[in-house]
Amino acid sequence: MSLRSTLDFLLYQWLDAESLNQRTRFADHSRETFDAVFDTCERIAREKYAPFNRTVDTQEPHFDGEKVILPQATHDAQKAYAASGMLSAAQDYEIGGMQLPYTVEAAANAFFAMASVSMGSSLLTTGNANLLMVHGTDAQKGVFATNEFSGRFSGTMCLSEPQAGSSLSDITTRAVPDGADFEADPLGARYRLKGNKMWISAGEHELTENIIHLVLAKIPGSDGKLIPGTKGISLFIVPKKLVGTDGQLTGVRNDVALAGLNHKLGWRGTTNTLLNFGEGKYPVNGQAGAVGYLVGKPHEGLRCMFHMMNEARIAIGMAATMLGMAGYYASLDYAKNRPQGRPMTGAGKDAAAPQSRIIEHADVKRMLLAQKSYCEGALALELYCARLVDEQHTADPQAADEARLLLEVLTPIAKSWPSEWCLEANSLAIQVLGGYGYTRDFPVEQYWRDNRLNMIHEGTHGIQAMDLLGRKVLMEGGKGLQLLAARINATAARAAQVPELAAHADALADALQQVSSATEAAWASGQPTEALANAVPYLQAFGHTVLAWIWLDVALASLTLDATESIAARAGRMGATRYFYHYELPKIAAWLQVVSSRDATCADFPEESF
């Protein structure tokens, strides 16, 4: 089965994406327009991205003393993507958008992620512009966001600092008012920023006319000191090149300087930078300090930035999924064509018999089936979350609020589960190829390297785990968790009526009960340090339970459809479901045991004993 046929099934047969066209915002669309978008994206990915995936891996970005050099293929791919309209796919017609459902946008972007995940930084540009459309002023939307949607400008998010890492409360970049008239600037209250930002993807390049940085910084209090913690954080637009109210470049370079390029294990096609803000290398009006425009209100920057971070987390989950899928398809093709070994008979092996293709060996089938269950399951999860985004924005108030709460709970899973298990799929792809797998003659080693970054991108596994157990399952009295449990139980109840799925339904109901009991047990003492000590095993068990639910729901759709789906495709989905329930779901008992007992083995281990 191809990616396109898998997407078609998940979108049209499982998620009923066509029904979105009944809503006013999407009324001009049909399956034909959705398919036309997929045709275009599939073609661009095939022509402009896939052939150059190894090129961008081996020809890493480098700084020639004046600018960052990237392969020509990257420039060509960026132009083709911008010309396709995908940067503004979900935006209003009035600003050049297509008013596509996010479900369709996410599915269309899957083609690019699988073809060459690091060739473009579109997810950052789109997320940056989307944030400004929600929290920016009209002028900020017109000058910055619309030019990002058109592809003239690109965007970044600048959070981490060398000394702070993921601990945003410890950032020290400061922003002070720029002159007595700082509040009168038409682009927003104007400040001067000084500080350093690390791990900034797409922070410096020549792909677009301008780069729009969204920067977290602290405005000093009346005593001149930075406010401790996250409450003092504000958000600023800091363009690489200053822009007038007409959206045109003024010819003045802002005081943002490249301090260095980070050389990564994977995603080598995207520059990753250390940026210095306000060091005086490019003084503006003879003064050091990067000019930045306040977004939203002072000290509410983190709330604004999380709008972009949550979008980025789902996008990273999709990137991880598609890297896993790329490895799966490559190893499947290899396994079908590689002869090695001979069948075992009652009399032993016959050395004179023809060799078997390795896909005929049970253990190779195990590895391929694991990859299929991880990657196709993760793709279904990401598209389900994308569908929830559309529900949140276009459904009736009650359904929209339910979608919001479900997204709150599912976002840590949508980011982290594919980052772990589709990476495992990439590892299995290498194993299927054997010695060839870890050579650069085949692409699977690159897919693994690219995917290894996604467990760290947009918040590490541990951060997502603490967010899930420490906040998301508790918020609003646990309402989000209750809604998710209701949907899981509803699927289990339907599946219980289908003989082929009844045992899976029982297993899913039992898994949900285990997760619910472990959640209560983790918080039984009321001590966060005890509850969160085993947050990652909780995340793993919770994620596996969610994926088991997704697979059962997909299996139900596959069994109850008409003959539009091939027998082989249906057997494939049923086999992947069976694999997940027999080989994967039983793992949750071990993970939840340490959660429920609030096991302190790791938390109490003395430092000197390592």
Side-chain angles (χ1 to χ4, degrees):
M1 285 175 284
S2 67
L3 174 59
R4 183 63 179 271
S5 64
T6 301
L7 282 174
D8 283 348
F9 172 83
L10 292 175
L11 286 173
Y12 298 129
Q13 308 302 322
W14 179 52
L15 291 175
D16 191 19
E18 284 183 274
S19 66
L20 288 168
N21 301 330
Q22 298 169 15
R23 299 181 183 176
T24 302
R25 180 168 183 79
F26 310 127
D28 292 339
H29 288 293
S30 64
R31 176 163 180 171
E32 286 70 29
T33 62
F34 294 164
D35 285 345
V37 170
F38 296 148
D39 290 342
T40 298
C41 291
E42 193 172 17
R43 177 183 56 78
I44 295 172
R46 182 178 62 251
E47 295 176 357
K48 299 294 186 180
Y49 283 69
F52 307 102
N53 190 44
R54 180 63 79 184
T55 300
V56 299
D57 185 62
T58 56
Q59 296 180 24
E60 291 188 71
H62 65 277
F63 185 56
D64 69 357
E66 294 184 4
K67 58 183 180 293
V68 170
I69 306 299
L70 291 166
Q72 182 60 42
T74 304
H75 291 261
D76 295 340
Q78 193 277 334
K79 289 178 182 177
Y81 186 87
S84 74
M86 285 302 295
L87 285 167
S88 59
Q91 298 304 310
D92 294 347
Y93 294 133
E94 288 74 16
I95 62 169
M98 292 187 268
Q99 291 188 194
L100 276 180
Y102 180 65
T103 310
V104 175
E105 179 186 1
N109 278 321
F111 293 110
F112 301 103
M114 192 170 82
S116 184
V117 75
S118 71
M119 277 192 78
S121 54
S122 59
L123 74 89
L124 289 172
T125 297
T126 302
N128 179 310
N130 285 343
L131 182 153
L132 293 177
M133 293 301 291
V134 174
H135 299 287
T137 65
D138 287 343
Q140 290 170 345
K141 295 174 189 178
V143 170
F144 301 111
T146 57
N147 279 306
E148 289 182 88
F149 286 135
S150 73
R152 274 190 68 212
F153 300 168
S154 58
T156 75
M157 53 191 295
C158 300
L159 290 78
S160 300
E161 297 181 5
Q163 82 291 343
S166 298
S167 180
L168 296 180
S169 61
D170 294 317
I171 67 172
T172 58
T173 297
R174 61 170 53 216
V176 297
D178 183 28
D181 65 343
F182 77 101
E183 292 182 303
D185 196 296
L187 293 180
R190 190 180 64 251
Y191 287 74
R192 291 283 187 143
L193 279 69
K194 292 185 179 182
N196 314 102
K197 294 292 180 178
M198 178 60 108
W199 313 119
I200 309 307
S201 294
E204 181 60 43
H205 55 74
E206 302 295 321
L207 296 172
T208 54
E209 290 182 40
N210 205 358
I211 302 173
I212 309 304
H213 303 290
L214 285 178
V215 184
L216 291 182
K218 291 185 176 182
I219 301 172
S222 56
D223 59 359
K225 297 180 180 179
L226 298 181
I227 301 172
T230 59
K231 292 182 179 179
I233 295 176
S234 300
L235 179 63
F236 300 88
I237 299 167
V238 183
K240 173 184 173 180
K241 301 172 184 177
L242 295 183
V243 183
T245 54
D246 59 356
Q248 298 304 308
L249 305 184
T250 64
V252 177
R253 172 73 186 262
N254 205 356
D255 197 7
V256 182
L258 177 69
L261 293 174
N262 298 310
H263 298 285
K264 303 170 293 178
L265 175 76
W267 281 65
R268 293 177 175 176
T270 299
T271 55
N272 191 275
T273 62
L274 169 61
L275 298 178
N276 291 340
F277 291 84
E279 67 174 357
K281 184 173 183 178
Y282 303 103
V284 179
N285 296 329
Q287 179 183 348
V291 173
Y293 308 100
L294 181 68
V295 178
K297 297 179 180 179
H299 312 308
E300 293 188 4
L302 206 54
R303 181 180 69 85
C304 297
M305 185 60 92
F306 265 106
H307 179 98
M308 182 177 181
M309 289 170 67
N310 285 331
E311 282 192 18
R313 284 170 176 172
I314 293 174
I316 288 299
M318 181 63 90
T321 297
M322 299 321 298
L323 281 164
M325 196 78 83
Y328 166 54
Y329 287 146
S331 63
L332 176 61
D333 180 69
Y334 183 89
K336 287 179 176 180
N337 292 286
R338 167 70 171 176
Q340 186 172 318
R342 290 170 175 81
M344 184 73 72
T345 67
K349 290 184 180 180
D350 180 1
Q355 286 184 308
S356 302
R357 293 170 303 130
I358 63 173
I359 198 171
E360 298 175 51
H361 301 311
D363 194 54
V364 173
K365 286 186 177 181
R366 175 190 63 82
M367 291 187 285
L368 292 170
L369 199 46
Q371 292 179 68
K372 181 180 178 68
S373 73
Y374 298 155
C375 299
E376 290 187 12
L379 178 58
L381 171 64
E382 298 303 323
L383 293 175
Y384 182 85
C385 288
R387 185 72 159 80
L388 288 176
V389 172
D390 286 323
E391 291 297 306
Q392 184 180 356
H393 292 152
T394 64
D396 64 72
Q398 181 178 344
D401 194 55
E402 288 187 1
R404 174 188 65 84
L405 282 165
L406 285 167
L407 273 170
E408 290 282 7
V409 175
L410 288 174
T411 295
I413 303 298
K415 188 273 171 186
S416 287
W417 197 92
S419 299
E420 179 173 8
W421 296 99
C422 293
L423 175 67
E424 174 62 17
N426 289 128
S427 181
L428 290 170
I430 293 174
Q431 193 72 17
V432 168
L433 269 69
Y436 290 110
Y438 50 70
T439 70
R440 292 196 176 188
D441 299 312
F442 291 84
V444 289
E445 61 85 26
Q446 183 185 341
Y447 296 143
W448 185 92
R449 285 188 290 106
D450 284 341
N451 217 352
R452 185 58 187 83
L453 277 64
N454 288 322
M455 287 181 73
I456 297 173
H457 280 155
E458 307 307 329
T460 64
H461 235 40
I463 288 172
Q464 303 298 332
M466 288 189 287
D467 181 44
L468 179 65
L469 180 55
R471 193 166 72 91
K472 295 300 181 61
V473 300
L474 304 177
M475 65 185 295
E476 299 185 30
K479 188 176 179 182
L481 181 58
Q482 293 164 15
L483 282 170
L484 179 60
R487 297 205 177 190
I488 292 174
N489 281 325
T491 297
R494 288 168 50 224
Q497 306 304 312
V498 181
E500 193 171 350
L501 300 177
H504 299 337
D506 290 342
L508 179 60
D510 179 66
L512 178 61
Q513 182 56 50
Q514 289 184 60
V515 170
S516 299
S517 297
T519 307
E520 293 181 10
W523 285 103
S525 70
Q527 299 298 317
T529 52
E530 292 183 9
L532 300 179
N534 294 293
V536 167
Y538 179 84
L539 174 76
Q540 291 170 312
F542 198 114
H544 260 49
T545 302
V546 167
L547 264 292
W549 163 54
I550 291 289
W551 266 119
L552 190 59
D553 210 64
V554 166
L556 273 168
S558 190
L559 282 178
T560 55
L561 290 175
D562 57 29
T564 56
E565 187 181 27
S566 73
I567 294 174
R570 181 172 298 180
R573 297 189 218 289
M574 298 306 297
T577 302
R578 189 162 58 251
Y579 175 89
F580 201 88
Y581 275 83
H582 290 178
Y583 288 77
E584 294 295 331
L585 190 57
K587 294 175 181 178
I588 74 167
W591 288 324
L592 292 178
Q593 174 59 37
V594 294
V595 177
S596 297
S597 64
R598 301 189 296 283
D599 190 292
T601 300
C602 300
D604 292 348
F605 194 81
E607 180 182 334
E608 60 273 13
S609 297
F610 278 103

